[in-house]
Amino acid sequence: MISFIRFADDLSAWFGKSFAWLIVLMAVGTGYEVVVRYIFNNPTAWALDVSFIMYGTLFMMGGAYTLSRGGHVRGDFLYRLWQPRNQAKIDFVLYIIFFFPGVIALVLAGWKYAARSWSYGEVSVNSPAGVPIYQFKTVIVVAGLLLFIQGIAQVCRCIHCMRTNEWLPADEDVFETEDLLMQKASEAEKDAHP
């Protein structure tokens, strides 16, 4: 069970970090569009569509990674006061009742939209450039499958916590800048006053 949790976390992290590079491409593309539009007075017909596609892809493909790191929004004003075992019981029930039916619906609807889009080579109607969007609709299915795999890992985490009364932590690979600065300052102070 723990090996599957680690596998799912690693898979989600790989996809999340890989698609995070779209941020750089979006910044370059937007910068290019600003230059050609306002300096050369020659706007592109494709920039808006491509930025929408990249942002949507980034958002969708980062969902499982965010879930694996406990980064989704939750209303925990009471939840955080409970014992981990009770938290796990509530999470387990909520995953079964709400999460999995929603993710399955996402995958099935995404499959239908993607198949239809691929069948006629759908292009965007938002610009005259005719940017293809069928590949983007496939992202819905892939993101749903990644969420499903990560959801199984989260249920395994709940089962582990119900048995041990301790949450199995995810790898910490994202840190707040101020925490890193405080840690660095603390280490510098220790080095200065041995």
Side-chain angles (χ1 to χ4, degrees):
M1 182 165 56
I2 292 175
S3 62
F4 179 79
I5 293 170
R6 294 294 177 223
F7 162 76
D9 285 355
D10 291 345
L11 181 68
S12 296
W14 187 87
F15 275 98
K17 290 176 182 179
S18 296
F19 280 87
W21 286 100
L22 287 176
I23 294 170
V24 175
L25 292 176
M26 286 180 357
V28 169
T30 302
Y32 174 79
E33 174 63 17
V34 168
V35 168
V36 298
R37 178 180 296 260
Y38 294 108
I39 295 177
F40 299 112
N41 197 26
N42 187 20
T44 63
W46 50 264
L48 182 64
D49 283 332
V50 171
S51 67
F52 281 169
I53 288 169
M54 284 194 288
Y55 181 72
T57 301
L58 170 67
F59 182 80
M60 294 291 290
M61 295 305 288
Y65 173 68
T66 305
L67 179 62
S68 74
R69 299 310 192 253
H72 286 289
V73 175
R74 64 184 328 144
D76 65 349
F77 60 96
L78 293 176
Y79 177 92
R80 64 189 165 101
L81 302 174
W82 299 342
Q83 290 292 315
R85 181 173 284 123
N86 293 332
Q87 292 173 346
K89 289 175 185 175
I90 295 297
D91 280 0
F92 181 85
V93 169
L94 293 176
Y95 275 111
I96 301 302
I97 294 175
F98 295 109
F99 179 83
F100 285 112
V103 169
I104 291 169
L106 175 71
V107 170
L108 294 176
W111 183 269
K112 182 178 83 173
Y113 291 133
R116 187 181 317 138
S117 186
W118 277 90
S119 71
Y120 62 86
E122 185 176 7
V123 297
S124 174
V125 297
N126 295 325
S127 73
V131 175
I133 60 172
Y134 48 86
Q135 75 285 0
F136 176 58
K137 292 196 175 180
T138 306
V139 168
I140 299 168
V141 178
V142 175
L145 292 173
L146 287 171
L147 278 169
F148 190 85
I149 292 167
Q150 189 60 49
I152 293 170
Q154 296 304 104
V155 165
C156 290
R157 265 195 175 87
C158 292
I159 293 168
H160 180 269
C161 185
M162 285 188 275
R163 292 179 181 164
T164 65
N165 201 31
E166 286 184 20
W167 283 109
L168 186 63
D171 292 338
E172 290 196 32
D173 56 0
V174 178
F175 303 97
E176 296 291 334
T177 304
E178 54 269 6
D179 292 341
L180 293 174
L181 291 173
M182 292 297 290
Q183 180 182 1
K184 196 174 217 177
S186 175
E187 290 170 1
E189 187 175 314
K190 286 178 184 176
D191 290 343
H193 305 294

